Amino acid sequence: MIYMDNAATTRPYGEVMETFMNVNEAYYFNTASIHQSGRKAAQLLEASRKQIAELLGVPDYHCIFTSGATESNNLAIQSVLRRKQPYGGTVLVSELEHPSVLNVLEAMKEDDFRVNYIKTFADGTVDTDHLKEMLNDDVIFITVMAVNNITGSIQPIAEITEILKQYPKVHFHTDATQAIGKINMDYAGVDSLSLSSHKFHGMKGTGALIAKEPRTLSPIIHGGGHENNLRSGTVNLPGAVAMARALRMATEQQDVSIERVSDYNHKVRSALGNLRSVHIQPSGVPHILNVSFRGAKGEVVVNALGNRGIMVSTTSACASKLKKLNETLLAMGNARAIIEGSIRISFSSLTQEEEVDEMITALLAVHKEIGEVLK
Ligand code: PMP
């Protein structure tokens, strides 16, 4: 099997699985217990918390452990909006966001929040002039992801933090799930960011919300008051320690990995770029490549590759079931045939060159096979 769906999830590093097992064995205690063993577990948790914030370049920020980026996005959005409701009611959001942002905001509309969408350029980046035009006194929250999960487009996070310096009331959140471990980004100006361990070779079910001022947050999961009363429930210590290790490894390997993965990206672009009816979206992070076979259905291409042992994804399986076009590709102004015929190929630091070569051979064969339907 050749795995090319790393934007969906990654294979955990062997060392990370080892850490996870070791902590389960040696530190299975509850971090909230007051006995010596519980305190030792709590110390390990605090060390991981500190390490994660440092590795992200925001050592003064607070790390709240969650079950993943979906929960982190929910925590940031729901709690900050509730807190800031007396000061305004408008949210600005890019059209490119993951459903764990867009659908939460949709639900928040029921509580009288207004949600306005920031336009997108054809290259998949947000239009910061449009953002500036929409800023007013009622805006309390802005959320723009760091890297898009469908095309890999890199968003101007530093520029947005610069713009927002004149709007201290606004909380700026970024969903950095697809950026972390892939590219360096300056998070120093954001108020909060979400991450998910399984996207950078950690374990599933572990994530974090990194917040500049945890006082601006309030819990959405209530209970025994864990995580400084921001996220109740016994903390997943093995997952948290494994996440710190995965982040350290991904950060250490990032530069080498970017170079290798960029070569893979160029290889695919030059092999497919000139084929009839093939459209490749503009590049962002080299790890994600969105390729369309105009006239074909993305699911058909995914299945044809799957039959050859190569795992890629359509831009969004659930959206195709709902007969809904992918919102990111739509926001970028792509034609229907390009959206319907698109597949997402995503590499990781574990992807091997021979695997890329084999995938290219398979893609060329599939292109030939479906030739008659292509427009
Ligand atoms: N945001 C983005 C950009 C993602 O790609 C994903 C994973 N598909 C999530 C949030 C949700 O992450 P998790 O699986 O940790 O809930």
Side-chain angles (χ1 to χ4, degrees):
M1 187 273 289
I2 293 178
Y3 186 69
M4 295 286 180
D5 194 17
N6 290 281
T9 196
T10 54
R11 178 178 172 175
Y13 287 133
E15 294 89 334
V16 168
M17 285 197 272
E18 219 174 273
T19 298
F20 183 78
M21 290 302 287
N22 290 344
V23 176
N24 267 303
E25 246 169 48
Y27 290 86
Y28 58 86
F29 322 110
N30 193 322
T31 55
S33 295
I34 59 164
H35 51 65
Q36 279 80 351
S37 296
R39 287 210 297 268
K40 261 176 31 192
Q43 273 168 10
L44 189 57
L45 185 69
E46 293 316 309
S48 303
R49 206 190 292 288
K50 193 164 171 269
Q51 198 186 4
I52 289 168
E54 279 169 3
L55 285 165
L56 292 171
V58 284
D60 300 336
Y61 283 37
H62 190 80
C63 167
I64 302 134
F65 289 111
T66 65
S67 63
T70 298
E71 187 189 326
S72 302
N73 287 334
N74 269 269
L75 175 60
I77 295 169
Q78 292 186 42
S79 75
V80 176
L81 288 197
R82 226 177 278 141
R83 279 272 170 119
K84 285 191 180 268
Q85 196 156 24
Y87 311 104
T90 301
V91 178
L92 305 185
V93 55
S94 82
E95 303 167 299
L96 306 162
E97 300 298 298
H98 187 265
S100 59
V101 168
L102 290 176
N103 291 342
V104 187
L105 288 174
E106 209 47 47
M108 296 307 280
K109 285 182 187 170
E110 283 173 25
D111 291 337
D112 286 341
F113 289 101
R114 286 163 293 288
V115 181
N116 296 331
Y117 298 87
I118 311 162
K119 283 186 205 149
T120 311
F121 290 120
D123 68 356
T125 59
V126 294
D127 179 345
T128 49
D129 284 335
H130 188 225
L131 181 149
K132 281 187 212 159
E133 279 164 30
M134 289 202 292
L135 273 164
N136 62 44
D137 260 6
D138 195 53
V139 176
I140 48 172
F141 194 92
I142 297 186
T143 177
V144 175
M145 71 203 322
V147 166
N148 178 263
N149 52 310
I150 305 294
T151 64
S153 57
I154 303 167
Q155 303 306 325
I157 299 303
E159 188 190 339
I160 297 173
T161 58
E162 204 48 46
I163 296 168
L164 294 179
K165 278 186 181 157
Q166 290 168 40
Y167 297 85
K169 187 170 87 175
V170 177
H171 181 109
F172 180 35
H173 174 71
T174 186
D175 175 0
T177 308
Q178 295 286 351
I180 288 171
K182 289 178 184 138
I183 49 158
N184 279 329
M185 268 227 175
D186 183 2
Y187 298 112
V190 305
D191 292 296
S192 57
L193 67 122
S194 299
L195 62 144
S196 182
S197 191
H198 73 98
K199 303 285 186 180
F200 49 88
H201 307 282
M203 312 302 288
K204 290 165 185 64
T206 328
L209 180 69
I210 312 290
K212 194 183 216 167
E213 289 178 34
R215 285 180 298 117
T216 55
L217 305 173
S218 52
I220 56 168
I221 296 178
H222 299 267
H226 307 76
E227 293 296 275
N228 235 339
N229 201 25
L230 287 174
R231 202 277 186 181
S232 284
T234 302
V235 179
N236 175 359
L237 179 66
V241 181
M243 176 158 70
R245 178 139 201 212
L247 183 57
R248 181 158 56 80
M249 289 181 65
T251 309
E252 281 166 4
Q253 294 173 22
Q254 194 170 270
D255 289 348
V256 179
S257 164
I258 285 186
E259 218 169 284
R260 276 213 351 247
V261 170
S262 298
D263 286 346
Y264 301 162
N265 188 308
H266 291 143
K267 236 179 178 179
V268 178
R269 280 179 191 274
S270 48
L272 301 182
N274 293 325
L275 289 183
R276 192 173 69 84
S277 307
V278 169
H279 178 83
I280 306 182
Q281 296 297 334
S283 56
V285 287
H287 304 72
I288 300 180
L289 202 68
N290 197 297
V291 181
S292 290
F293 292 74
R294 211 176 307 146
K297 291 271 179 278
E299 298 91 281
V300 172
V301 180
V302 167
N303 284 333
L305 289 170
N307 291 339
R308 291 166 165 85
I310 296 158
M311 307 301 144
V312 301
S313 63
T314 53
T315 47
S316 170
C318 22
S320 73
K321 265 189 209 146
L322 293 169
K323 301 249 179 294
K324 226 173 112 184
L325 291 177
N326 181 271
E327 280 163 0
T328 296
L329 296 177
L330 205 53
M332 289 164 66
N334 286 289
R336 188 182 188 95
I338 287 184
I339 304 176
E340 285 179 343
S342 73
I343 62 164
R344 180 185 67 184
I345 297 165
S346 47
F347 309 118
S348 86
S349 59
L350 297 175
T351 308
Q352 299 301 308
E353 182 153 21
E354 310 80 70
E355 295 180 311
V356 178
D357 292 340
E358 218 174 297
M359 178 185 70
I360 290 173
T361 308
L363 280 162
L364 295 174
V366 171
H367 181 264
K368 208 166 171 191
E369 221 169 79
I370 60 174
E372 314 92 76
V373 300
L374 296 178
K375 286 182 190 158

